[in-house]
Amino acid sequence: MLCDPELPNCFDLGGNLSLSVGDLNKCDEDGSDGKKGRADLCRDQLSELNEYVKVDVASNVTSLQDEAGLLKLVEGASVVVITVPLSTSLLAAMNDKCRASINKTRFIYALSTGVFSTIFCDFGESFVVNDKDGENPATSQVENILTSNPAVVKVLEDHGRHGLETGDYVTFQRSSDGESTYEVKVTGPFTFELPGMDALACS
């Protein structure tokens, strides 16, 4: 279900590939009753992307300032994706309604404003993100593991600092117990402990 009743303008042509200059001219030439919003103008091209997906346009929302109409769209949805600027209070209300829905509707807000962009995802209380920065996981080569309690791991210094922080998780590859994941407590730029891992028992 698409919802964007606003009329297209010249700025939309820079970021919406489904709109053309002809859409702007058509809106200028038609009477007020014949003008189409951005969602109506984009529907046909979006439908061509997958013939098995039905693409509808919400007809009961007349403006992006129609808070009651926008909140009503959440009902029955499995995912709500917002890509237009809305007030913070309305975004919060929509997110709250998604969380309170029976089928735990997912909420995604993504906005691009030139060189800057923002994204917010809420997939429910049970969804946990452990990735703090989105970067690919760093790798280090282990020099040795000290036989202590807890076990202390030292990485090769010529490979650079391990870059870990206390509370991060590491996975050891090519170890005898497969690829197990452990929480770490950082003790230095090249060393960290594995709380709960008694290396004395392995000696």
Side-chain angles (χ1 to χ4, degrees), residues 115-126:
V115 295
F116 300 102
S117 61
T118 184
I119 187 165
F120 173 78
C121 300
D122 186 349
F123 301 133
E125 295 179 2
S126 60

Side-chain angles (χ1 to χ4, degrees), residues 127-144:
F127 184 81
V128 178
V129 178
N130 291 319
D131 186 354
K132 63 183 178 182
D133 56 16
E135 296 293 327
N136 289 328
T139 58
S140 295
Q141 188 167 343
V142 174
E143 180 178 324
N144 60 45

Side-chain angles (χ1 to χ4, degrees), residues 1 18 23-24 27 35-36 55 59 61 75 91 131 139 144 152 172 179 181 188 193 198:
M1 176 77 68
S18 298
D23 293 324
L24 300 180
C27 288
K35 290 184 179 180
K36 290 185 175 182
V55 180
S59 58
V61 179
E75 297 172 6
L91 290 170
D131 186 354
T139 58
N144 60 45
V152 176
F172 293 96
E179 293 189 7
T181 301
E193 293 180 351
D198 184 1

Side-chain angles (χ1 to χ4, degrees), residues 2-6 36-44 46 57-58:
L2 300 176
C3 178
D4 190 352
E6 303 298 328
K36 290 185 175 182
R38 292 181 289 213
D40 275 312
L41 292 168
C42 296
R43 176 179 51 191
D44 292 340
L46 289 173
V57 175

Side-chain angles (χ1 to χ4, degrees), residues 120-176:
F120 173 78
C121 300
D122 186 349
F123 301 133
E125 295 179 2
S126 60
F127 184 81
V128 178
V129 178
N130 291 319
D131 186 354
K132 63 183 178 182
D133 56 16
E135 296 293 327
N136 289 328
T139 58
S140 295
Q141 188 167 343
V142 174
E143 180 178 324
N144 60 45
I145 299 177
L146 303 180
T147 52
S148 59
N149 185 14
V152 176
V153 179
K154 186 175 187 306
V155 300
L156 289 173
E157 294 187 13
D158 58 353
H159 285 202
R161 297 168 178 251
H162 53 60
L164 297 169
E165 294 179 8
T166 297
D168 285 347
Y169 289 85
V170 296
T171 300
F172 293 96
Q173 296 179 336
R174 289 181 246 148
S175 62
S176 59

Side-chain angles (χ1 to χ4, degrees), residues 3 58-75 86-87 89-91 93-94 97:
C3 178
S59 58
N60 57 342
V61 179
T62 57
S63 166
L64 292 179
Q65 282 70 47
D66 179 9
E67 295 192 10
L70 291 172
L71 285 169
K72 196 169 182 66
L73 291 176
V74 174
E75 297 172 6
L86 296 177
S87 68
S89 60
L90 177 55
L91 290 170
M94 294 184 78
K97 189 164 184 179

